[in-house]
Amino acid sequence: MRTIRKTALLAAVAATTGAFGMQEAHAITYIWDGTGTNTNWSTAANWTADLGTPSVGGAGGDVALFDNTGVLNLANTVDVNTSITQLAYRQDAPTNVYTTSIDRSATLTISGLTGSNAAAPANSGLLVMPTTAAGNGAPTGARVVIQSTGVGAQGGLNITSGNVQISGRPGASVDSPSYAILDLSNLDSFNYSQATNSTFSIGGGNGAGNSDTNSYWGQLILSNNSTIRTNRLVIGGQNNTGTQGTQPVSSLLLGQSTTLNSTLPGNLYVGSDPTAAKTSSGALMFRAGVTNGSMSMGDTLGNRNGWEIARHRFQTTNTNFGVADFTSASGTTEGAINANTATITISAQSGGVAGAGGGFGMLSMNKGTIDTQAMVITRTTSNATAGGVNVGVFNVGLKGAGTDTGGGIVLVSGTISLGQRIATDTSSGGSLNSILNLANNGAITVDRLFVGNNTVAGGTQAVNATVNLNGGTLTTAQIKAGSDTAQAGTTSRLINFNGATVKVKTGASQVNRDTFLEGHTAATVNAGGANFDTNAQDIIVNQPLVAPTGDGVQSITVDNGGSGYRVAPIVLITGGGGTGASAVARIDAAGSVVGLDVTNP
């Protein structure tokens, strides 16, 4: 076996890992070569130069690096309690898979790096980067499985400091597609905790360079019990404009019990690019096989944070796609979401002159409670899209199955705004399409519901807002056409009654009760009927309640459901001489579309 002096090794390590910016004055980087007689971390021969076990934690602690160049065995086992500064995987052969097994009698702790939103991946405690040591010019990928093995009480992965970077753009000078898959599903627990100045990024690009046309995506599959505490969680932050194979969507798949906590300021981005002009695609949902899972969001101290789904900025021709689906519509066993947020934004464009780009966002829930201060479903706040389409969908009570008994509670202390066009607009076309579907046992309580809030006279961008009340209860002080600001532009506001109950909110003001429902394009009463509960308060409905006309869309047959969908696709129905028809899609575990359920004919 070859021998390398430690001083020479450290010099070589510094040269090959400088791009990561992770060297401390007294740190040793242990590079896995797998030449021992077993797969254990405690076996010195498994590390280059037979250095021993990387186990010194805290400031100046060691780094464990897995680089598949010349590696004979990519399987490795954390067989003793180990504390390191950084765990990094990188490779240039995306078909190879690293499998790190954490023995149930051992705990792997990563600590010592100072997090920085601006310095990822340099300050990343867990770094799954698809880069080689040098020359990042070819498509690369890293596939990593971290699992528990053996018998014992623990088998956990704890990260106490540093960012987390799972795939993404390695740096501003690197323009090559990349991806990473990190599977923690066989682990007992996963805990990441850095409350401030930290980024947890899955498939997020790093560095500038708007000319980059490659894609960067990642997938994180969580353990049964997981906690992520960060002030910025990004899922599919920058996928840019390219594609990588057939799976360009970055995703976070939740385990049986997941907690997402944050202190202010904090945001959760799903399929959103919060900073630059890139196409982004992200999904948040339970992993396959989870039974009655739970996802909690919000700080234990009561702090509320923002949640942005498919929010895009500085767009030209790029399109953002974001889905947070906690139902079985995406081929998984649904779970309950319990979220406390400041605002929820679904499909929004802001921050600069835009071209023909757009955003497609959807949030679906049928168990648990969402408690938020305000919600916006489809918005543009600057020179909007020139011909682009923006779609935002919010589903409450839609389980996504043949026998649908979904529920879920939504509490909004402020307003829900469907279709918000609120800035000077010189665009030549495009549309904002907002859909709210309430069904079965779902319940929404909101101060006021703004339908089609279009305050801009310039441009020709249309605002189309549809409220489908197919079941459950909507409690509100007013269903208002637009908002309190004078309305302008082309707007379609459709209210469809089909079995839900509309209840007047306790304490609604006289002015809101006197204009409770009026000024909408149409309020159609379908077979399920329109049910009003005045809650012992007088209201005025100055809106014609009309029967449906024409045949409508009674059913949609799927001739070819395709395959490989990560999440149920968003459905937009156009043409046919009518308006307002809507439907939601369902996929099976194989990712094929198995049905389209009409939510408004």
Side-chain angles (χ1 to χ4, degrees):
M1 182 179 297
R2 61 193 179 114
T3 302
I4 304 176
R5 287 181 178 271
K6 182 180 289 191
T7 54
L9 172 65
L10 293 179
V13 165
T16 59
T17 62
F20 294 93
M22 64 188 179
Q23 291 298 307
E24 300 284 348
H26 303 290
I28 298 176
T29 296
Y30 292 77
I31 302 177
W32 181 266
D33 63 14
T35 55
T37 58
N38 54 42
T39 63
N40 294 337
W41 278 35
S42 63
T43 300
N46 282 323
W47 304 94
T48 301
D50 301 347
L51 287 175
T53 303
S55 59
V56 181
D62 297 333
V63 172
L65 173 62
F66 292 84
D67 185 334
N68 74 333
T69 304
V71 174
L72 300 178
N73 189 351
L74 299 179
N76 57 94
T77 303
V78 181
D79 58 319
V80 293
N81 289 338
T82 303
S83 180
I84 57 178
T85 296
Q86 185 178 61
L87 174 62
Y89 301 85
R90 63 187 190 188
Q91 61 181 13
D92 57 2
T95 58
N96 292 341
V97 180
Y98 287 109
T99 301
T100 296
S101 299
I102 302 175
D103 192 271
R104 290 185 183 275
S105 63
T107 300
L108 175 61
T109 300
I110 303 172
S111 62
L113 285 175
T114 301
S116 171
N117 287 341
N123 287 326
S124 297
L126 176 61
L127 185 60
V128 187
M129 289 295 293
T131 61
T132 54
N136 300 298
T140 58
R143 301 185 65 187
V144 178
V145 176
I146 298 181
Q147 62 183 14
S148 59
T149 186
V151 295
Q154 188 64 41
L157 174 61
N158 299 319
I159 305 175
T160 62
S161 65
N163 297 308
V164 170
Q165 179 82 12
I166 301 172
S167 190
R169 190 178 191 198
S173 62
V174 180
D175 290 340
S176 62
S178 61
Y179 69 94
I181 302 172
L182 180 59
D183 187 349
L184 308 180
S185 59
N186 290 324
L187 206 63
D188 285 350
S189 64
F190 170 71
N191 295 286
Y192 171 79
S193 180
Q194 183 167 309
T196 59
N197 196 31
S198 63
T199 293
F200 193 111
S201 177
I202 305 170
N206 182 66
N210 293 342
S211 62
D212 187 358
T213 59
N214 296 293
S215 65
Y216 312 107
W217 65 270
Q219 183 181 67
L220 173 60
I221 307 172
L222 288 178
S223 64
N224 277 336
N225 298 287
S226 298
T227 297
I228 298 175
R229 184 175 176 82
T230 177
N231 69 302
R232 188 165 110 157
L233 174 59
V234 182
I235 307 169
Q238 293 183 26
N239 278 358
N240 294 16
T241 59
T243 59
Q244 175 71 8
T246 59
Q247 297 179 314
V249 178
S250 296
S251 56
L252 175 60
L253 305 185
L254 307 173
Q256 192 69 37
S257 175
T258 304
T259 300
L260 305 179
N261 282 340
S262 177
T263 56
L264 295 176
N267 283 293
L268 169 62
Y269 300 95
V270 180
S272 296
D273 181 0
T275 57
K278 308 292 182 184
T279 289
S280 300
S281 299
L284 174 65
M285 55 190 173
F286 288 98
R287 73 169 196 251
V290 169
T291 302
N292 295 322
S294 65
M295 193 278 269
S296 299
M297 178 181 171
D299 190 78
T300 56
L301 300 177
N303 290 318
R304 293 173 177 265
N305 312 110
W307 189 359
E308 300 186 358
I309 302 171
R311 180 170 184 173
H312 48 102
R313 305 181 183 184
F314 305 103
Q315 294 290 67
T316 53
T317 59
N318 299 326
T319 299
N320 285 25
F321 176 85
V323 166
D325 189 349
F326 306 102
T327 74
S328 58
S330 288
T332 64
T333 302
E334 76 277 358
I337 172 178
N338 292 284
N340 292 281
T341 68
T343 58
I344 297 177
T345 304
I346 306 173
S347 182
Q349 184 276 330
S350 63
V353 177
F360 291 78
M362 182 166 65
L363 171 59
S364 301
M365 55 96 71
N366 73 297
K367 291 181 180 180
T369 301
I370 293 177
D371 188 328
T372 188
Q373 295 172 339
M375 178 179 290
V376 176
I377 306 174
T378 319
R379 174 175 65 188
T380 179
T381 58
S382 63
N383 287 353
T385 55
V389 176
N390 295 268
V391 179
V393 182
F394 183 32
N395 298 318
V396 180
L398 285 171
K399 186 176 180 180
T403 302
D404 206 331
T405 57
I409 298 172
V410 178
L411 304 173
V412 185
S413 59
T415 61
I416 296 178
S417 185
L418 277 73
Q420 191 179 63
R421 184 168 174 256
I422 55 176
T424 302
D425 183 358
T426 58
S427 66
S428 59
S431 62
L432 298 179
N433 304 276
S434 303
I435 302 172
L436 171 61
N437 291 313
L438 177 63
N440 299 296
N441 298 314
I444 299 175
T445 299
V446 57
D447 185 48
R448 290 197 293 168
L449 179 61
F450 291 168
V451 183
N453 181 19
N454 188 356
T455 62
V456 182
T460 59
Q461 186 183 50
V463 175
N464 304 311
T466 303
V467 179
N468 296 320
L469 301 173
N470 294 316
T473 302
L474 170 64
T475 302
T476 184
Q478 185 186 40
I479 303 175
K480 185 174 181 61
S483 66
D484 295 331
T485 305
Q487 299 294 294
T490 303
T491 307
S492 172
R493 304 181 177 98
L494 303 177
I495 313 295
N496 297 290
F497 296 96
N498 193 22
T501 296
V502 176
K503 183 177 180 179
V504 182
K505 186 180 179 182
T506 300
S509 68
Q510 185 69 50
V511 65
N512 288 336
R513 287 188 284 115
D514 287 347
T515 56
F516 185 80
L517 181 66
E518 66 180 32
H520 298 276
T521 305
T524 303
V525 180
N526 292 285
N531 307 305
F532 288 89
D533 179 354
T534 64
N535 194 17
Q537 301 174 89
D538 294 332
I539 62 170
I540 296 176
V541 176
N542 191 22
Q543 172 77 46
L545 303 180
V546 301
T549 59
D551 294 329
V553 179
Q554 301 302 321
S555 63
I556 302 174
T557 301
V558 179
D559 292 329
N560 182 358
S563 63
Y565 282 96
R566 290 277 190 90
V567 292
I570 295 171
V571 179
L572 181 64
I573 300 174
T574 61
T579 60
S582 59
V584 295
R586 290 180 284 113
I587 65 174
D588 59 18
S592 299
V593 178
V594 294
L596 293 173
D597 299 328
V598 176
T599 54
N600 176 32

